[in-house]
Amino acid sequence: MHYIVLIIGAALVNNFVFSRFLGICPFLGVSRRTETAIGMGIAVIFVMTLASIVTWVIDYYLLIPFNFVYMRTIVFILVIAALVQLVEMIIQKVSLPLYQALGIYLPLITTNCAVLGVSLLNIQLKYNLLESCIFAIGASLGFTMALIIFSGIREDLDLNDIPEAFQGTPIALITAGILSLAFMGFSGLVK
Amino acid sequence: MTLLAAALLGGIGLVCALVLGVAAMTFAVEMDPREKLVLDLLPGANCGACGYAGCAAFAHALLENPETEMVCPAIHENDVKKISEILERKLASLGGMIASVCCKGTVKDVADNYIYEGPLECRAAQLIAGGSKACAYGCLGLGTCEQVCPFDAIHIGEDHLPYVDKEKCTGCGKCVIACPRHIIRLAPFDLPKCEVRCISKDSPKEVKKICSTGCIGCMACEQVCPFNAVTVMKNSAARITHTKCTGCGLCVKVCPVDVIESVIELKKASILKDKCNGCSICSQVCPVDAPKGELKNPYTIDEAKCMGCGICIDKCPKKAIEKRL
Amino acid sequence: MKKTFKGGVHLLEENFLVSSKTIVDMPLCPIYVLPVHQHVGTPCKPIVRQGDVVKKGQQIAEPAGYVSVAIHAPTSGKIKEIGPKIHPLTGRKSLSVVIESDGKDEWVDGLPLNRDPFSIGREKLVTMIQSSGIVGLGGATFPTHVKLSPSKEKKIDTLIINGVECDSHVADDHRLMVEHPEAVISGAKVIMSILGLNRSIIAIGKNKPDAIAIIREKVPPEIQLEPLEVKYPQGAERQLIKTLTGRDTPSGGLPMDIGCLVHNAGTCAAIWNAAAYGIPLIERITSVTGHGIVEPKNIRVKIGTLLKDVIEFCGGIKNPAKILFGGPMMGIAQYSLDVPVIKGTSGIVVLTQDEVSKSSYTACIACGRCVDFCPMQLNPSMLSRLGEKSMWEKALNFNLLDCIECGVCSYICPSNRPIKHFIRHLKTLEREAKSLYGK
């Protein structure tokens, strides 16, 4: 039960995009078409889970014992970047179709603040390894969902006559704002 | 402490680097070497403006699908040339070409067959009895070219005719394909000096009936052109051979329906007084009688008359005529 | 249970203007214009030259390919010109043969003959139908001989004779069935003998009680009479098959794929004329109607007669806004009176200024009426929005190509949106892209 609550909390109540406002760059960048949004979403699920496990391990066995917690952010950035590169290489070798499907999005995630955010939050919220893992899955599911919902709306927005000043990113941001308001409705669902 | 921190960070970095290095060797995948070359030439911003998920995907598409066009808006022209060489095919949106609209018939000039009330889309309007404009070669003026232009380079003016923004047009040819009446053509950027804004293939009688500014095939332009650059064929609007045209503008002046336009402004001729010996050759060759003077005395050019055709410059035995700066 | 299909609308019925008027022959005109492209498929090739003398019924253009039919001189006279003239369907100039009538209206040698069509033999009948220039006379003008030669794998078991005539103004098939029921029935028998069928259905709209009564009296036992509810587009091929047999024509398929064949009542009569008397398709019955015409009439008109002559014969026009070839739902508006009546002209409808909507369209309010009424169960609302942005690739996901262009969506749209026009626009874009990239 605890883990289900954790997932719902991370995916809906504290949605990374709509409540925590993390990962807005790929959220706006890769949400033009639903297909690319799905590809990006799957890549994020994969990387976020892996990154949170690795960073948790590094934090627990390296940073805390040696009392280097103040260097957490910079170490995490380094590790995540290297990890993403590694994963990209492995996928390219092991499964070319998978690489072609999401390999393109992997470099984009390298500097995604949502990935770093989830790693730091894991530590801040004092989760254990399993909890961090579940939390990361929930958070990335929430991110994917936000991306897919938003891309659907944007595809529909293309059909409408939007005033010139609002065309493109402005209307996308306005829509994202309204969508964010809608997600506020989940607050209080999980404590 | 600081040293230890640096060492730790360096250590982690080193470990990562080692792992990555080993992985790069272990998991090396062979790919088309050209893909890497193309990818290096692309801007690498992964902006996604091309419609692909990043530069790598676009490079891949360029190699895999021979119909992929150079849709990257951020790339430098020289790089496009290099990519064309690598791919051994010409990429369409190379700079250097420019769209030019071959119709001058505004709503006032051309009769309408009927009142059109459908969607404001030329291609849709063309479906209803071939478009409302009586001339089958006339611009419908509903702005499909403006809608399809990815570079915001063509705009419908107040007279409901499209105008090309020379600064922005990349010659991608989207409007050329979209125009249901095929009146937009691509021409090399610096070549056309004069253009016939009509491509009608109707008989002159028909053209005269429906359009006040359509080419009526009167041949005046063909006769007046000193360079044989204009040809008029039966039941076809006059055509200018751009390689022969100097842009002198004589045809523009004689055209009774004002369908020929000067695209560039030419520099006028001027006579260097100290070199001119007053041989009068220039006044003999000039098609508009611009050089004035008395025999054996230095001539002058009447600026109001000179069009800058440059004939006198070529003919002057003393090389005494120059283009005015 | 009422036999009908899902969707469709009840139109304001205006058939009464001509439905009780006897067919009259149109007198000879001085000029006839025959475009070489009067059917779906390859345009045919003229085989006469300028200045040639032709007789009524003489072939003047031969089929250029399989999906192509011949064209014949509607009267005797001289070929005045072979050149581009306005075509009523495209509105642009297309190659046409112009015949100047000599006023004698003489038949070519040997016509009309009198023979027993059932002794001719199947294959000969089919080639004869092609060389007689017969096409679907309901308006689609698809060459009839192609429909009569199904491939071996496709077994046809049901012939449907379409006398529904669901568009709101025209009554040419109605009058044909009332005045010449034997021609329609005999034509159906000829088709049945060609295909070796022993069953066929003749469908007639319930708004034509006199036609139903006469056909019921004359119809032989192997032909079944089915009076159908008055609804538009009941006369459309797919809807008709669904109603009568319960079979669904697959997306992108033909009625042939489900063993059905639909022929218009007028086509049957034309087949009978060609088979029994050797008369090629040189005239047809057309309803000249609408509130904008002074004397609405049903006329037997020679193919190639100019619209202005027809209108003059029918007393002229009053307060006109639109002149349509075909009914108000499927018809094509004309901008010139110099267009000729062609094989597919089932009606000439003149609408008055008060009948034509002139307000421009507004945004889609997503009310869903078009979705409810679409006889093909498509989503016209979405298609029209995609049409506004010319997004044909996405429209393919909404089954763009299944649209039968009946126009019901445009008819009931409260925002006045020209939905059918948008869909045609998208279809054209799709076709052009296909030819451009060969996908």
Side-chain angles (χ1 to χ4, degrees):
Chain A
M1 191 58 203
H2 171 62
Y3 297 118
I4 296 170
V5 170
L6 205 59
I7 287 190
I8 291 176
L12 295 178
V13 184
N14 291 317
N15 186 289
F16 262 61
V17 179
F18 295 134
S19 298
R20 294 191 202 269
F21 307 110
L22 289 169
I24 300 291
C25 165
F27 175 69
L28 290 173
V30 208
S31 59
R32 289 230 178 88
R33 282 184 304 180
T34 311
E35 292 96 70
T36 48
I38 293 172
M40 179 72 179
I42 291 169
V44 166
I45 294 177
F46 191 71
V47 170
M48 235 187 220
T49 317
L50 209 64
S52 66
I53 294 170
V54 172
T55 49
W56 190 90
V57 170
I58 287 185
D59 189 71
Y60 194 79
Y61 291 106
L62 222 60
L63 299 186
I64 295 172
F66 291 98
N67 211 9
F68 281 128
V69 280
Y70 60 90
M71 282 183 54
R72 208 173 259 152
T73 313
I74 196 161
V75 169
F76 281 8
I77 290 174
L78 185 71
V79 170
I80 291 169
L83 182 75
V84 173
Q85 289 296 314
L86 184 68
V87 168
E88 192 189 345
M89 281 181 211
I90 296 174
I91 292 179
Q92 194 178 6
K93 179 74 181 178
V94 176
S95 161
L96 205 61
L98 189 67
Y99 174 74
Q100 272 160 354
L102 50 108
I104 307 136
Y105 305 107
L106 286 170
L108 290 176
I109 305 167
T110 316
T111 49
N112 184 347
C113 55
V115 180
L116 183 65
V118 100
S119 306
L120 291 174
L121 276 171
N122 281 334
I123 314 298
Q124 249 176 42
L125 299 170
K126 298 192 172 62
Y127 287 142
N128 62 29
L129 183 57
L130 186 61
E131 279 173 340
S132 312
C133 191
I134 301 280
F135 182 70
I137 291 174
S140 53
L141 277 177
F143 181 85
T144 310
M145 186 181 66
L147 212 56
I148 292 171
I149 291 175
F150 197 52
S151 65
I153 295 175
R154 278 186 91 174
E155 277 189 8
D156 212 64
L157 274 179
D158 285 348
L159 299 178
N160 296 311
D161 286 323
I162 296 159
E164 207 174 331
F166 288 102
Q167 274 168 20
T169 317
I171 192 75
L173 283 169
I174 291 170
T175 318
I178 295 168
L179 209 55
S180 171
L181 279 181
F183 265 72
M184 293 296 173
F186 286 117
S187 61
L189 186 70
V190 181
K191 66 153 178 85
Chain B
M1 193 65 188
T2 324
L3 269 180
L4 210 63
L8 184 87
L9 201 60
I12 294 175
L14 201 66
V15 171
C16 289
L18 275 175
V19 172
L20 281 182
V22 172
M25 276 187 278
T26 330
F27 299 108
V29 175
E30 278 183 32
M31 55 188 236
D32 193 336
R34 294 183 302 165
E35 193 169 325
K36 179 91 176 58
L37 290 173
V38 174
L39 183 57
D40 286 345
L41 287 167
L42 291 173
N46 289 324
C47 65
C50 53
Y52 294 90
C55 292
F58 180 48
H60 190 73
L62 276 174
L63 280 158
E64 289 296 303
N65 188 353
E67 276 160 19
T68 316
E69 281 175 28
M70 177 48 70
V71 280
C72 178
I75 192 165
H76 195 268
E77 207 175 295
N78 288 339
D79 291 337
V80 181
K81 275 184 194 146
K82 282 183 199 158
I83 292 177
S84 300
E85 280 163 24
I86 294 170
L87 298 178
E88 288 166 0
R89 67 185 166 91
K90 202 158 165 49
L91 287 167
S93 65
L94 281 174
M97 296 294 266
I98 191 165
S100 94
V101 181
C102 301
C103 178
K104 251 193 105 181
T106 59
V107 204
K108 281 181 204 149
D109 296 319
V110 193
D112 267 340
N113 277 340
Y114 59 89
I115 305 161
Y116 176 71
E117 276 171 349
L120 300 180
E121 230 286 349
C122 303
R123 291 173 290 190
Q126 179 81 358
L127 293 175
I128 307 295
S132 61
K133 221 168 205 176
C135 172
Y137 307 92
C139 173
L140 290 170
L142 299 175
T144 290
C145 45
E146 188 176 342
Q147 285 158 28
V148 299
C149 180
F151 301 99
D152 197 28
I154 191 163
H155 293 280
I156 298 290
E158 272 173 19
D159 52 2
H160 298 280
L161 286 178
Y163 290 96
V164 178
D165 186 337
K166 278 188 168 186
E167 303 284 303
K168 288 180 178 168
C169 181
T170 59
C172 69
K174 280 235 160 90
C175 51
V176 179
I177 296 171
C179 179
R181 299 219 150 170
H182 311 291
I183 53 167
I184 307 181
R185 286 195 296 219
L186 285 184
F189 189 80
D190 43 4
L191 212 47
K193 298 184 179 78
C194 285
E195 290 228 70
V196 183
R197 300 265 184 236
C198 181
I199 53 159
S200 175
K201 289 186 178 65
D202 283 333
S203 65
K205 205 175 132 201
E206 190 83 356
V207 174
K208 212 164 189 175
K209 211 164 73 188
I210 54 180
C211 179
S212 63
T213 185
C215 175
I216 49 171
C218 66
M219 316 274 279
C221 46
E222 187 175 317
Q223 281 156 12
V224 80
C225 182
F227 310 99
N228 288 329
V230 196
T231 41
V232 185
M233 277 182 289
K234 192 176 175 267
N235 284 358
S236 167
R239 268 184 174 251
I240 293 178
T241 313
H242 293 314
T243 44
K244 286 186 189 166
C245 174
T246 60
C248 68
L250 276 174
C251 50
V252 180
K253 279 205 174 149
V254 297
C255 181
V257 288
D258 279 339
V259 73
I260 311 181
E261 277 183 1
S262 271
V263 180
I264 55 163
E265 199 144 305
L266 287 180
K267 285 171 189 151
K268 299 189 172 177
S270 76
I271 296 177
L272 304 171
K273 278 196 178 138
D274 41 340
K275 281 195 184 173
C276 179
N277 63 358
C279 68
S280 88
I281 289 178
C282 51
S283 68
Q284 285 160 28
V285 296
C286 180
V288 288
D289 248 356
K292 284 267 145 56
E294 282 168 30
L295 220 56
K296 304 222 169 140
N297 283 324
Y299 273 61
T300 49
I301 303 260
D302 184 348
E303 261 188 60
K305 283 185 178 172
C306 177
M307 302 172 307
C309 67
I311 299 177
C312 53
I313 298 176
D314 292 340
K315 296 282 166 155
C316 181
K318 292 280 170 195
K319 305 256 174 282
I321 312 179
E322 276 181 349
K323 292 238 163 174
R324 198 177 285 256
L325 295 173
Chain C
M1 200 183 84
K2 276 185 197 170
K3 272 196 172 178
T4 187
F5 60 97
K6 191 173 175 292
V9 284
H10 298 281
L11 299 175
L12 182 67
E13 281 187 49
E14 302 270 13
N15 309 51
F16 67 88
L17 281 172
V18 280
S19 60
S20 55
K21 301 228 165 123
T22 323
I23 302 168
V24 286
D25 281 316
M26 170 102 186
L28 270 184
C29 303
I31 292 285
Y32 291 92
V33 177
L34 295 127
V36 295
H37 202 182
Q38 297 195 25
H39 49 264
V40 175
T42 332
C44 51
K45 275 202 306 258
I47 50 169
V48 285
R49 293 229 187 102
Q50 194 172 345
D52 284 2
V53 174
V54 290
K55 291 277 162 74
K56 183 177 178 182
Q58 184 184 335
Q59 192 170 332
I60 53 168
E62 60 177 11
Y66 179 59
V67 190
S68 182
V69 294
I71 290 175
H72 302 79
T75 186
S76 57
K78 212 171 80 182
I79 306 290
K80 194 184 168 204
E81 190 189 343
I82 298 176
K85 297 278 164 206
I86 304 173
H87 192 286
L89 297 186
T90 60
R92 288 287 154 208
K93 292 191 173 164
S94 80
L95 190 67
S96 308
V97 180
V98 184
I99 296 176
E100 196 173 25
S101 166
D102 59 5
K104 291 182 207 147
D105 206 23
E106 282 173 336
W107 280 102
V108 71
D109 290 342
L111 282 184
L113 34 83
N114 211 341
R115 59 182 171 190
D116 176 18
F118 299 100
S119 63
I120 298 177
R122 266 185 221 182
E123 261 150 50
K124 263 197 172 166
L125 268 175
V126 173
T127 26
M128 182 219 70
I129 284 169
Q130 181 178 18
S131 60
S132 297
I134 295 175
V135 296
L137 293 182
T141 64
F142 190 78
T144 303
H145 68 277
V146 181
K147 273 169 128 181
L148 291 178
S149 352
S151 61
K152 289 239 168 59
E153 313 88 71
K154 286 171 188 159
K155 190 93 188 73
I156 305 282
D157 55 29
T158 313
L159 170 70
I160 297 169
I161 307 301
N162 185 354
V164 178
E165 202 157 59
C166 53
D167 214 335
S168 68
H169 280 68
V170 289
D172 59 311
D173 287 345
H174 181 180
R175 288 316 298 176
L176 176 76
M177 287 185 291
V178 170
E179 292 180 37
H180 306 285
E182 64 294 325
V184 177
I185 292 167
S186 315
K189 281 188 192 158
V190 173
I191 299 175
M192 283 161 76
S193 82
I194 291 175
L195 294 165
L197 295 177
N198 47 19
R199 180 177 169 236
S200 73
I201 306 170
I202 180 160
I204 305 176
K206 280 189 181 160
N207 56 350
K208 307 173 187 39
D210 44 350
I212 294 174
I214 289 174
I215 295 282
R216 177 163 285 142
E217 206 175 291
K218 307 253 171 163
V219 82
E222 68 266 30
I223 301 180
Q224 179 192 342
L225 174 69
E226 282 279 5
L228 291 179
E229 289 301 313
V230 183
K231 194 158 92 168
Y232 180 86
Q234 182 63 73
E237 213 167 45
R238 284 154 193 258
Q239 279 63 34
L240 195 57
I241 294 171
K242 176 74 183 161
T243 310
L244 293 174
T245 66
R247 296 177 204 172
D248 278 308
T249 315
S251 170
L254 290 170
M256 233 179 235
D257 298 329
I258 48 165
C260 290
L261 194 60
V262 181
H263 278 289
N264 181 268
T267 317
C268 291
I271 289 176
W272 176 249
N273 277 340
Y277 309 111
I279 301 175
L281 184 61
I282 53 167
E283 54 185 19
R284 68 158 297 142
I285 296 160
T286 296
S287 298
V288 186
T289 178
H291 291 287
I293 201 107
V294 176
E295 296 168 42
K297 276 177 186 168
N298 288 304
I299 53 171
R300 187 175 287 110
V301 59
K302 292 188 188 331
I303 310 289
T305 312
L306 293 181
L307 178 57
K308 58 183 176 196
D309 293 331
V310 174
I311 284 175
E312 200 184 319
F313 178 62
C314 296
I317 42 181
K318 52 182 183 193
N319 192 23
K322 258 185 195 178
I323 301 181
L324 301 162
F325 269 25
M329 294 300 278
M330 293 293 283
I332 289 173
Q334 305 297 325
Y335 64 83
S336 163
L337 292 181
D338 290 324
V339 292
V341 168
I342 59 167
K343 289 177 180 174
T345 312
S346 58
I348 294 169
V349 178
V350 184
L351 300 175
T352 57
Q353 296 284 355
D354 330 325
E355 288 174 296
V356 173
S357 151
K358 281 186 199 133
S359 56
S360 56
Y361 68 93
T362 51
C364 173
I365 55 168
C367 65
R369 282 187 74 174
C370 48
V371 181
D372 284 347
F373 285 97
C374 177
M376 292 303 289
Q377 281 82 54
L378 301 176
N379 183 349
S381 148
M382 194 63 187
L383 287 171
S384 83
R385 290 176 65 205
L386 289 164
E388 259 178 307
K389 304 281 167 192
S390 308
M391 296 162 88
W392 62 270
E393 278 157 312
K394 247 187 202 171
L396 290 179
N397 298 340
F398 292 88
N399 299 317
L400 167 71
L401 301 180
D402 281 345
C403 173
I404 56 166
E405 297 178 22
C406 62
V408 165
C409 44
S410 308
Y411 181 73
I412 49 92
C413 180
S415 285
N416 240 333
R417 290 170 71 79
I419 304 179
K420 174 176 159 187
H421 191 169
F422 281 127
I423 294 178
R424 280 188 59 206
H425 170 51
L426 287 170
K427 280 184 169 178
T428 317
L429 289 182
E430 192 264 351
R431 207 164 42 238
E432 274 170 10
K434 239 188 203 164
S435 63
L436 207 59
Y437 300 113
K439 269 176 205 159

